[in-house]
């Protein structure tokens, strides 16, 4: 990963986010609510911490200035941020804010919020980081970090490009900000407050309202430009006159959580690099669209320890590493390739397939059937080699970056976690539509068939081995 890009300082309120993801296939008998089962819990940085991680994934050095305390949520977030960003802390009163989403597939059903901590005061280290920055992103979630550093942010805006991502619980940006990035709802709320306008009506498309609000905010906030984000429609950029509509390249009907952070982080980094505002906003729209299509914030989530322990017990101790590897490559703009199979008695055909798959992208994750899965597919005599040994052999191959174990008959669940850009299969599937193909294509991925060496198969090897006479026992002593 290149570190030649301009360093970025992210200032704002960090959050700790949790997701409980499962399946909802029926309603509870005692109330008309969905029953979520098969849940898997993961945690990730949220708020300003998510924006900082996304910027760091673009290949630039990032310093995060945020408020953390002595509570358990703050400690967990520090662990999640380790080796991703440089952390400059200001003191926090109370406990770090966290939110837990309960999802069925990609659809949020409920959110639980905890913690109302606020930044207490600035520190000399935090002020120095901000005033010496070559580019600044402010992710103001209304919990005080931007407030205690407001004087330093005003000074920074006089000499470096500052992008301000405002939220309705926070204050207006400081004057001199290069670009403010409210959502349409946030822009409407700020503009209505400025105009003392109680009328919530908007036109059908929302573009006229967004343009009017952006023009109002450019003048009232004394900022260079306002980019109103419009979800799957893109963004509307205004310098105070005729706005520029930047549409998304394609609509992605996926979880949009964190898309605004992805937009702001991309724009801030590019402005720090010297990119013109219009070009930075266009690139930010494309980055946000791609981010949603590839899984959004869940792509950088970390499975929690209880799940990791369960995987170790079942022989799948590398699966969490595989998910993190895929997320890291994807965040850096690389191409994730996945390939799957039993890989019982690894042979030359397997190796050729895996080598070709690795050449198609920037990392290769191999999805391996568990022993139970192989037994159901191949019969009671299989596998010949237990999963722990199969994983060890695969990980020893230079072309394999990570291995994930799945216990189902088909790999849809693990593919949903990895979200590869390419799902590689042997050419013997050329006349068959794979059951996982619609899933891979749903996030913009592609199924890729690769040539398969003739005459190589585990079944054939096992049959020949069984027919080979055992060597006669020679004399001893």
């Amino acid at each position: 990963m290149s570190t030649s890009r301009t360093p970025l300082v992210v200032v704002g309120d960090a959050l700790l986010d949790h997701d409980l993801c499962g399946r909802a296939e029926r309603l509870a008998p005692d109330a008309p609510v969905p029953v979520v089962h098969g849940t898997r819990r993961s945690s990730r940085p949220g708020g300003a911490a998510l924006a900082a991680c996304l910027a760091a994934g673009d290949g630039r050095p990032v310093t995060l200035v945020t408020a953390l305390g002595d509570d358990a949520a703050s400690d967990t977030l520090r662990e999640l941020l380790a080796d991703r960003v440089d952390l400059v802390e200001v003191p926090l009163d109370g406990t770090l804010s966290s939110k837990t989403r309960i999802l069925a597939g990609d659809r949020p059903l409920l959110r639980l919020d905890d913690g109302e901590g606020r930044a207490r005061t600035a520190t000399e280290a935090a002020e120095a980081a901000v005033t010496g920055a070559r580019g600044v992103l402010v992710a103001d979630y209304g919990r005080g970090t931007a407030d205690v550093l407001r004087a330093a942010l005003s000074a920074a805006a006089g000499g470096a490009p500052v992008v301000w991502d405002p939220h309705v619980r926070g204050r207006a940006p400081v004057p001199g900000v290069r670009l403010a990035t409210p959502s349409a709802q946030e822009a409407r709320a700020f503009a209505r407050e400025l105009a003392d306008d109680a009328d919530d009506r908007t036109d059908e498309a929302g573009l006229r309202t967004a343009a009017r609000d952006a023009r109002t905010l450019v003048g009232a906030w004394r900022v260079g430009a306002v980019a109103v984000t419009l979800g799957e429609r893109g963004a509307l950029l205004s310098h105070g006159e005729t706005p520029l509509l930047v549409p998304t390249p394609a609509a992605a009907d996926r979880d949009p959580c964190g898309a605004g952070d992805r937009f702001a982080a991309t724009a801030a980094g590019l402005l720090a690099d010297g990119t013109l505002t219009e070009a930075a906003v266009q690139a930010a729209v494309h980055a946000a669209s791609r981010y949603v299509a590839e899984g959004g914030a869940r792509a950088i989530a970390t499975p929690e320890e209880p799940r990791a322990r369960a995987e170790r017990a079942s022989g799948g101790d590398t699966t969490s590493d595989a998910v993190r590897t895929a997320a890291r490559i994807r965040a850096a703009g690389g191409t994730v390739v996945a390939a799957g199979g039993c890989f019982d008695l690894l042979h030359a055909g397997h190796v050729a397939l895996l080598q070709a798959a690795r050449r198609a992208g920037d990392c290769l994750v191999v999805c391996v059937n568990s022993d139970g899965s192989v037994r159901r597919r191949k019969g009671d005599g299989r596998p010949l080699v237990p999963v722990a040994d199969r994983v060890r052999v695969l990980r020893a191959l230079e072309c394999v970056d990570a291995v994930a174990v799945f216990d189902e008959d088909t790999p849809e669940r693990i593919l949903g976690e990895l979200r590869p850009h390419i799902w590689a299969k042997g050419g013997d599937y050329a006349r068959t539509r794979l059951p996982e193909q619609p899933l891979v294509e749903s996030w913009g991925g592609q199924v890729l068939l690769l040539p398969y060496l003739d005459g190589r198969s585990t079944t054939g090897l096992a049959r020949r081995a069984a027919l080979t006479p055992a060597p006669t026992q020679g004399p001893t002593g």
Side-chain angles (χ1 to χ4, degrees):
M1 181 183 298
S2 171
T3 57
S4 61
R5 297 181 179 180
T6 306
L8 188 68
V9 174
V10 178
V11 180
D13 308 300
L15 313 173
L16 178 63
D17 290 348
H18 307 286
D19 280 345
L20 279 169
C21 302
R23 301 187 302 277
E25 298 164 345
R26 61 188 176 90
L27 296 178
D30 55 344
V33 295
V35 175
V36 181
H37 61 98
T39 56
R40 310 180 68 171
R41 184 181 179 93
S42 61
S43 299
R44 65 173 184 274
L50 173 60
C53 289
L54 293 172
D58 291 337
R60 67 180 71 251
V62 173
T63 298
L64 172 62
V65 181
T66 193
L68 294 175
D70 298 326
D71 56 291
S74 293
D75 290 339
T76 299
L77 185 58
R78 289 186 183 97
E79 294 177 5
L80 293 175
L81 294 173
D83 301 324
R84 291 185 176 185
V85 301
D86 292 328
L87 192 58
V88 177
E89 298 183 22
V90 299
L92 180 75
D93 282 335
T95 59
L96 184 71
S97 296
S98 64
K99 65 176 183 281
T100 301
R101 299 190 307 164
I102 300 175
L103 302 98
D106 285 330
R107 305 299 181 185
L109 301 178
L110 180 69
R111 197 180 95 180
L112 309 174
D113 287 9
D114 294 295
E116 290 292 339
R118 289 187 60 84
R120 182 190 315 151
T121 185
T123 64
E124 290 185 4
E127 291 174 338
V130 173
T131 56
R134 295 164 59 188
V136 177
L137 168 61
V138 180
D140 182 10
Y141 281 80
R143 291 167 173 83
T145 303
D147 292 343
V148 300
L149 289 164
R150 198 165 181 86
L153 290 168
S154 295
V162 175
V163 171
W164 196 292
D165 190 16
H167 298 77
V168 291
R169 296 180 61 180
R171 295 171 61 185
V174 299
V177 162
R178 182 78 59 86
L179 178 68
T181 61
S183 68
Q185 294 82 3
E186 290 160 350
R188 182 84 281 264
F190 280 115
R192 193 168 60 244
E193 181 179 326
L194 288 168
D196 193 22
D197 179 8
D199 187 0
D200 282 338
R201 290 176 298 174
T202 62
D203 58 278
E204 183 178 351
L207 295 179
R208 286 182 301 213
T209 299
R212 185 178 67 245
D213 291 342
R215 183 171 62 249
T216 298
L217 297 178
V218 169
W221 285 349
R222 289 182 287 164
V223 298
V226 169
V228 179
T229 55
L230 304 170
E232 63 183 17
R233 287 179 293 170
L236 194 73
L237 175 64
S238 174
H239 294 276
E241 297 298 335
T242 305
L244 171 70
L245 177 63
V246 182
T248 57
D253 185 20
R254 312 292 296 184
D255 180 9
C257 179
D261 297 296
R262 174 69 278 182
F263 179 92
T266 300
L270 291 175
L271 288 176
D273 291 340
T275 305
L276 294 176
T277 302
E278 288 78 3
V281 169
Q282 288 178 352
V285 167
H286 283 248
S289 179
R290 186 168 60 249
Y291 165 89
V292 173
E294 293 179 352
R298 290 168 60 191
I300 69 167
T302 302
E304 294 194 347
E305 281 305 310
R307 171 164 175 77
R309 284 196 295 270
E311 287 174 342
R312 284 194 291 272
S314 67
D317 59 317
T318 62
T319 301
S320 296
D321 287 338
V323 174
R324 284 193 291 267
T325 296
R328 184 177 66 252
I329 297 299
R330 187 167 43 246
T335 298
V336 178
V337 182
C342 301
F343 298 101
D344 199 9
L345 289 184
L346 193 72
H347 54 71
H350 291 141
V351 174
L353 173 69
L354 296 177
Q355 289 174 330
R358 180 60 178 84
R359 288 193 292 269
D362 300 294
C363 82
L364 173 62
V365 179
V366 180
C367 303
V368 180
N369 297 74
S370 70
D371 290 346
S373 177
V374 174
R375 194 173 300 113
R376 290 191 300 272
R377 292 188 60 196
K378 303 290 186 179
D380 291 338
R382 301 283 294 273
L384 302 169
V385 179
V387 68
D389 290 354
R390 288 184 280 132
V391 168
R392 185 171 183 177
V393 171
L394 285 165
R395 294 185 70 191
L397 296 178
E398 185 177 357
C399 59
V400 175
D401 296 280
V403 178
V405 178
F406 63 96
D407 193 50
E408 299 81 7
D409 293 341
T410 56
E412 282 95 334
R413 178 191 58 78
I414 191 63
L415 286 175
E417 294 189 45
L418 295 170
R419 293 184 179 269
H421 299 91
I422 295 173
W423 174 236
K425 298 295 290 185
D428 51 344
Y429 287 91
R431 298 182 182 274
T432 305
R433 181 170 175 82
L434 299 171
E436 59 268 27
Q437 186 167 343
L439 175 68
V440 174
E441 293 175 347
S442 71
W443 58 72
Q446 177 184 3
V447 174
L448 185 66
L449 297 179
L450 298 172
Y452 200 86
L453 293 180
D454 291 334
R456 278 81 168 181
S457 76
T458 299
T459 302
L461 285 173
R463 185 180 298 114
R464 287 195 296 274
L467 294 175
T468 302
T472 56
Q473 184 70 37
T476 61

